[in-house]
Amino acid sequence: MRQQKLFHRTLRDVPAEAETASHRLMLRAGLIRQLAAGIYTYLPIGLQALQRIEAIIREELNRSGAQELLLPALHPAELWRESGRWDVYGPELMRLKDRHEREFALGATHEEVVTALMADEITSYKQLPVTVFQIQTKFRDERRPRFGLLRGREFLMKDAYSFDVSKEGLQASYRSMYDAYHRIFARCGLNFRAVEADSGAMGGTDTHEFIALAGIGEDTIVHCSACPYAANVELHAAGAGDACPRCGAPLETAKGIEIGHVFQLGTRYSEQLGAVFADDAGSSVPIMMGCYGIGISRALAAAIEQRHDDDGIVWPWELAPYELHLITVQSADAAQTELSERLYRELLAQGFRVLWDDRPERPGVKFADADLLGFPLQIRIGRQAAHGIAECKHRLSGAITELSVDKLPDWIGTMKRQSNQL
Amino acid sequence: MRQQKLFHRTLRDVPAEAETASHRLMLRAGLIRQLAAGIYTYLPIGLQALQRIEAIIREELNRSGAQELLLPALHPAELWRESGRWDVYGPELMRLKDRHEREFALGATHEEVVTALMADEITSYKQLPVTVFQIQTKFRDERRPRFGLLRGREFLMKDAYSFDVSKEGLQASYRSMYDAYHRIFARCGLNFRAVEADSGAMGGTDTHEFIALAGIGEDTIVHCSACPYAANVELHAAGAGDACPRCGAPLETAKGIEIGHVFQLGTRYSEQLGAVFADDAGSSVPIMMGCYGIGISRALAAAIEQRHDDDGIVWPWELAPYELHLITVQSADAAQTELSERLYRELLAQGFRVLWDDRPERPGVKFADADLLGFPLQIRIGRQAAHGIAECKHRLSGAITELSVDKLPDWIGTMKRQSNQL
């Protein structure tokens, strides 16, 4: 993409309402704009990052055997009455009436709708197990929308639901999703912990939260200094300093952002909404369910919360809207423009995602914008263009290397491999 | 995908409310399910077809230079009041209040929201022209939702908006979108006409509807028997039999389904919402706008309306959720299952989209389901499996060919090329 054509604008001023780094940077770097409290537009490069997370989720969930569908956002109130949640969900559930005065909820979550679907579709144990997921806008009227995408009222979510014949089946489906979540968040470049969230009825492993570690997070966890054990702080009244229940090493506390949640529901919804199957003896049995959410827009904000510095965003490679930021230092210089254009075409042909800063701006403006946008590698074509030399900046380390343009593909490949090992 | 694992079920009975072929077939073939009047769930293979149309739209619009973003679905009422449409839009616009009693509209269309965005982002003629688009769920409370996805209340739409400095610029942006629409609908395999819809202020070419020809369509058009001229019937009171205004040949009438609309808006919204730019003399000028819609879920239904027979759907190749339906005729037969599994892996490795019917069903059930699902090619592995012979059915023509499995890739390639020429 040529930056002159890109619908994009960086902001110099930090809006007053932006309290967190990710919120400030997403506004300043031109990823999002606010329409109303907790309601955002995704501008082109913001949407591209979001779509990269979506693609990772689709790949990993398809690999795990889950199947994508798309449920409606408008839910008849009757379904929420059947489950008992119409009255208990409170003002967070947005409600409206159609032209015939029939009541609807705007989908905040989809247990009711997906269970009603399964009640119609599943008749026999032979059709089970099955896990379905969707990627969809959700609506929750938060009391205090804030922190940009971290706590919005309209946000993008992946929700999945598993359906099994037995508790053992549910545990296998749950484990498969739990493993997929690890792969997803690792590929997103997130520093996260899977946290035991509730020691409820099923033995301490029936629900996990996935927490991206971040000082501004609203969740507090304890995690072991030696083993992977981690838990919601509510499970550990004393907290920090206690001994790990698994290995005995001292526990530490940390703040974090909830980016995912996996939950063994059991038969709560299937009983209430009549989702039953005939088992191999012909008896009618309620389906065992699990539900699994990922806050996609929140994961994007969490990634930026974790990966930024004073100059701007420092994208994890897989999420970066562009991998390479090709910068013509002086657009009026024919040698620089010519070499840039040749490189732009070659790098695109090699399959890289390239943004070419071909704007007639001062070098200082271009460099500052490039650091703010924070794509992994910057390739500056400047004074040494006539000698076929580019100045290459690695955004994460800040290291600048002069390279013959012939050596660029190798260097990019090396940097990409290193970045995947981080 | 192995059909035993696919979350999918065909229906034998045609639901009473399904009046059109596309509605009946999408229910019978397991593409969609109704949640409430005009509100549908997309099951996995229905969603895959929808996503194939989305991919075509993204490719062709990116090629045309348009840039994707994502606008919110919740719109503050103030914006619709500023444009004057809060009061005139009527009950089709779904409305709700948040927990603070603030009024919102559910996005039925996005002129207000995108114009408000541009009012903030665009300051100078140097930032123009720009065309943006989004793919998003829209909400319209139709008085009579019917015909399945053809007239729904919650539906998937691509909407685009162009922003130019002048009428000439607008006409160029309009033309670019008009051309992209031709490419999109042609790739979708649709039989369509671009129809002059209004001879309004800008000389007869300021708006076109794209109409998929279909007997059950609610739009009537006249089109020339000799040249590409076509127009909305309201522009031709006499209609059929009149002389074509372009070439003089007789006009014919036809029924059709509106699948797209391109419209030169001018400055109606930019004036009301204050979207102005500084021109090269420094004067403040309202932006010239165009808007461009495609009903994605409707286009899917229109494709099925045009492409079906008594036995089921006949997918256009590019939209088919799977290209190849590999059918093990007798799943209990080891030779058949072995050859099927080998072929399944090979065809997947060659990049084909393959559904493998590995179910322990009777051959008649499998063949009927395959015709109902209607993927372009069926590859039946039956009695001659031991000799490496498959029976191949071309769904469109019905022709059945016996082929050595070694020859399959060539045959598939030939069939695919022929199908793209249709």
Short mmCIF file of all heavy atoms in Angstrom, two decimals, chain A residues 39-66:
data_model
loop_
_atom_site.label_atom_id
_atom_site.label_comp_id
_atom_site.label_asym_id
_atom_site.label_seq_id
_atom_site.Cartn_x
_atom_site.Cartn_y
_atom_site.Cartn_z
N ILE A 39 -17.82 2.85 21.96
CA ILE A 39 -18.22 2.45 20.60
C ILE A 39 -17.22 3.04 19.61
O ILE A 39 -17.07 4.27 19.54
CB ILE A 39 -19.66 2.93 20.29
CG1 ILE A 39 -20.63 2.31 21.30
CG2 ILE A 39 -20.05 2.58 18.86
CD1 ILE A 39 -22.05 2.84 21.19
N TYR A 40 -16.54 2.18 18.87
CA TYR A 40 -15.40 2.61 18.04
C TYR A 40 -15.53 2.19 16.59
O TYR A 40 -16.07 1.12 16.28
CB TYR A 40 -14.09 2.02 18.61
CG TYR A 40 -13.72 2.68 19.91
CD1 TYR A 40 -14.22 2.19 21.11
CD2 TYR A 40 -12.94 3.83 19.93
CE1 TYR A 40 -13.93 2.83 22.31
CE2 TYR A 40 -12.64 4.47 21.12
CZ TYR A 40 -13.15 3.96 22.31
OH TYR A 40 -12.87 4.59 23.49
N THR A 41 -14.98 3.04 15.73
CA THR A 41 -14.73 2.69 14.33
C THR A 41 -13.32 2.13 14.22
O THR A 41 -12.40 2.68 14.82
CB THR A 41 -14.85 3.96 13.45
OG1 THR A 41 -16.22 4.36 13.41
CG2 THR A 41 -14.35 3.70 12.03
N TYR A 42 -13.16 1.06 13.46
CA TYR A 42 -11.84 0.54 13.12
C TYR A 42 -11.43 1.11 11.78
O TYR A 42 -12.06 0.81 10.76
CB TYR A 42 -11.85 -0.99 13.03
CG TYR A 42 -12.20 -1.63 14.34
CD1 TYR A 42 -13.53 -1.89 14.67
CD2 TYR A 42 -11.22 -1.94 15.28
CE1 TYR A 42 -13.87 -2.44 15.90
CE2 TYR A 42 -11.56 -2.50 16.50
CZ TYR A 42 -12.88 -2.74 16.80
OH TYR A 42 -13.22 -3.30 18.01
N LEU A 43 -10.39 1.93 11.79
CA LEU A 43 -9.85 2.46 10.54
C LEU A 43 -9.04 1.36 9.84
O LEU A 43 -8.77 0.31 10.45
CB LEU A 43 -9.00 3.69 10.85
CG LEU A 43 -9.84 4.84 11.46
CD1 LEU A 43 -8.93 5.97 11.91
CD2 LEU A 43 -10.87 5.35 10.47
N PRO A 44 -8.65 1.57 8.56
CA PRO A 44 -8.06 0.45 7.80
C PRO A 44 -6.95 -0.30 8.52
O PRO A 44 -6.99 -1.54 8.58
CB PRO A 44 -7.58 1.13 6.52
CG PRO A 44 -8.62 2.19 6.28
CD PRO A 44 -8.94 2.73 7.66
N ILE A 45 -5.95 0.38 9.09
CA ILE A 45 -4.87 -0.44 9.67
C ILE A 45 -5.29 -1.08 10.99
O ILE A 45 -4.79 -2.15 11.35
CB ILE A 45 -3.53 0.33 9.82
CG1 ILE A 45 -3.67 1.55 10.68
CG2 ILE A 45 -2.91 0.67 8.47
CD1 ILE A 45 -2.31 2.12 11.07
N GLY A 46 -6.22 -0.48 11.69
CA GLY A 46 -6.76 -1.12 12.90
C GLY A 46 -7.54 -2.38 12.53
O GLY A 46 -7.39 -3.43 13.17
N LEU A 47 -8.35 -2.27 11.48
CA LEU A 47 -9.13 -3.42 11.05
C LEU A 47 -8.23 -4.55 10.57
O LEU A 47 -8.50 -5.73 10.82
CB LEU A 47 -10.10 -3.01 9.94
CG LEU A 47 -11.01 -4.12 9.41
CD1 LEU A 47 -11.88 -4.71 10.52
CD2 LEU A 47 -11.87 -3.63 8.26
N GLN A 48 -7.14 -4.19 9.87
CA GLN A 48 -6.23 -5.24 9.40
C GLN A 48 -5.63 -6.03 10.55
O GLN A 48 -5.50 -7.26 10.48
CB GLN A 48 -5.12 -4.63 8.54
CG GLN A 48 -5.60 -4.25 7.15
CD GLN A 48 -4.54 -3.49 6.37
OE1 GLN A 48 -3.46 -4.00 6.15
NE2 GLN A 48 -4.84 -2.28 5.97
N ALA A 49 -5.27 -5.34 11.63
CA ALA A 49 -4.74 -6.04 12.79
C ALA A 49 -5.80 -6.97 13.38
O ALA A 49 -5.53 -8.13 13.72
CB ALA A 49 -4.25 -5.04 13.84
N LEU A 50 -7.01 -6.45 13.48
CA LEU A 50 -8.13 -7.25 13.99
C LEU A 50 -8.34 -8.50 13.13
O LEU A 50 -8.53 -9.61 13.64
CB LEU A 50 -9.38 -6.38 13.96
CG LEU A 50 -10.47 -6.61 14.97
CD1 LEU A 50 -9.96 -6.40 16.38
CD2 LEU A 50 -11.64 -5.66 14.69
N GLN A 51 -8.29 -8.32 11.82
CA GLN A 51 -8.51 -9.45 10.91
C GLN A 51 -7.37 -10.46 10.99
O GLN A 51 -7.58 -11.65 10.73
CB GLN A 51 -8.68 -8.94 9.47
CG GLN A 51 -10.01 -8.21 9.29
CD GLN A 51 -10.16 -7.56 7.91
OE1 GLN A 51 -9.17 -7.22 7.27
NE2 GLN A 51 -11.40 -7.38 7.47
N ARG A 52 -6.18 -10.00 11.36
CA ARG A 52 -5.08 -10.96 11.53
C ARG A 52 -5.33 -11.84 12.76
O ARG A 52 -5.05 -13.04 12.74
CB ARG A 52 -3.73 -10.24 11.61
CG ARG A 52 -3.39 -9.52 10.28
CD ARG A 52 -1.95 -9.10 10.21
NE ARG A 52 -1.08 -10.25 10.26
CZ ARG A 52 -0.82 -11.06 9.23
NH1 ARG A 52 -1.35 -10.82 8.06
NH2 ARG A 52 -0.03 -12.08 9.37
N ILE A 53 -5.87 -11.25 13.81
CA ILE A 53 -6.22 -12.09 14.98
C ILE A 53 -7.35 -13.06 14.61
O ILE A 53 -7.30 -14.24 14.96
CB ILE A 53 -6.63 -11.21 16.19
CG1 ILE A 53 -5.51 -10.24 16.55
CG2 ILE A 53 -7.00 -12.09 17.39
CD1 ILE A 53 -5.82 -9.36 17.75
N GLU A 54 -8.34 -12.56 13.88
CA GLU A 54 -9.43 -13.44 13.43
C GLU A 54 -8.88 -14.63 12.64
O GLU A 54 -9.32 -15.76 12.83
CB GLU A 54 -10.40 -12.68 12.52
CG GLU A 54 -11.24 -11.65 13.21
CD GLU A 54 -12.18 -10.95 12.21
OE1 GLU A 54 -12.61 -11.58 11.24
OE2 GLU A 54 -12.48 -9.76 12.43
N ALA A 55 -7.92 -14.37 11.76
CA ALA A 55 -7.38 -15.45 10.91
C ALA A 55 -6.66 -16.49 11.77
O ALA A 55 -6.79 -17.70 11.54
CB ALA A 55 -6.44 -14.87 9.86
N ILE A 56 -5.91 -16.03 12.77
CA ILE A 56 -5.23 -16.96 13.69
C ILE A 56 -6.27 -17.81 14.42
O ILE A 56 -6.14 -19.04 14.53
CB ILE A 56 -4.36 -16.18 14.70
CG1 ILE A 56 -3.17 -15.52 13.98
CG2 ILE A 56 -3.87 -17.10 15.83
CD1 ILE A 56 -2.39 -14.54 14.86
N ILE A 57 -7.32 -17.17 14.91
CA ILE A 57 -8.37 -17.90 15.63
C ILE A 57 -9.02 -18.94 14.73
O ILE A 57 -9.20 -20.10 15.12
CB ILE A 57 -9.41 -16.91 16.19
CG1 ILE A 57 -8.79 -16.09 17.33
CG2 ILE A 57 -10.67 -17.64 16.66
CD1 ILE A 57 -9.70 -14.99 17.86
N ARG A 58 -9.37 -18.54 13.50
CA ARG A 58 -9.99 -19.50 12.57
C ARG A 58 -9.07 -20.69 12.33
O ARG A 58 -9.52 -21.84 12.35
CB ARG A 58 -10.31 -18.82 11.24
CG ARG A 58 -11.50 -17.91 11.31
CD ARG A 58 -12.06 -17.56 9.92
NE ARG A 58 -13.34 -16.91 10.09
CZ ARG A 58 -13.51 -15.57 10.10
NH1 ARG A 58 -12.48 -14.77 9.90
NH2 ARG A 58 -14.71 -15.05 10.31
N GLU A 59 -7.79 -20.41 12.06
CA GLU A 59 -6.86 -21.51 11.78
C GLU A 59 -6.78 -22.48 12.95
O GLU A 59 -6.87 -23.69 12.77
CB GLU A 59 -5.46 -20.95 11.53
CG GLU A 59 -5.19 -20.59 10.09
CD GLU A 59 -3.75 -20.08 9.93
OE1 GLU A 59 -2.82 -20.68 10.50
OE2 GLU A 59 -3.61 -19.05 9.24
N GLU A 60 -6.60 -21.94 14.14
CA GLU A 60 -6.38 -22.81 15.29
C GLU A 60 -7.66 -23.53 15.71
O GLU A 60 -7.61 -24.68 16.15
CB GLU A 60 -5.78 -22.02 16.46
CG GLU A 60 -4.38 -21.47 16.17
CD GLU A 60 -3.33 -22.55 15.87
OE1 GLU A 60 -3.56 -23.73 16.22
OE2 GLU A 60 -2.31 -22.21 15.25
N LEU A 61 -8.81 -22.88 15.58
CA LEU A 61 -10.05 -23.56 15.96
C LEU A 61 -10.44 -24.60 14.91
O LEU A 61 -10.92 -25.68 15.25
CB LEU A 61 -11.18 -22.56 16.20
CG LEU A 61 -10.98 -21.65 17.42
CD1 LEU A 61 -12.27 -20.93 17.77
CD2 LEU A 61 -10.50 -22.43 18.64
N ASN A 62 -10.25 -24.28 13.63
CA ASN A 62 -10.50 -25.31 12.61
C ASN A 62 -9.60 -26.52 12.85
O ASN A 62 -10.03 -27.66 12.75
CB ASN A 62 -10.28 -24.74 11.20
CG ASN A 62 -11.41 -23.82 10.77
OD1 ASN A 62 -12.55 -23.95 11.21
ND2 ASN A 62 -11.10 -22.86 9.92
N ARG A 63 -8.33 -26.24 13.17
CA ARG A 63 -7.39 -27.33 13.45
C ARG A 63 -7.88 -28.19 14.61
O ARG A 63 -7.69 -29.40 14.63
CB ARG A 63 -6.02 -26.72 13.79
CG ARG A 63 -4.94 -27.72 14.08
CD ARG A 63 -3.59 -27.04 14.26
NE ARG A 63 -3.22 -26.27 13.08
CZ ARG A 63 -2.15 -25.48 12.99
NH1 ARG A 63 -1.33 -25.35 14.03
NH2 ARG A 63 -1.90 -24.82 11.90
N SER A 64 -8.53 -27.55 15.59
CA SER A 64 -9.00 -28.30 16.77
C SER A 64 -10.30 -29.05 16.47
O SER A 64 -10.80 -29.77 17.33
CB SER A 64 -9.22 -27.35 17.94
OG SER A 64 -10.49 -26.70 17.81
N GLY A 65 -10.85 -28.86 15.26
CA GLY A 65 -12.08 -29.57 14.90
C GLY A 65 -13.35 -28.77 15.11
O GLY A 65 -14.44 -29.25 14.82
N ALA A 66 -13.24 -27.55 15.65
CA ALA A 66 -14.43 -26.71 15.82
C ALA A 66 -14.88 -26.19 14.45
O ALA A 66 -14.07 -26.06 13.54
CB ALA A 66 -14.13 -25.55 16.76
#
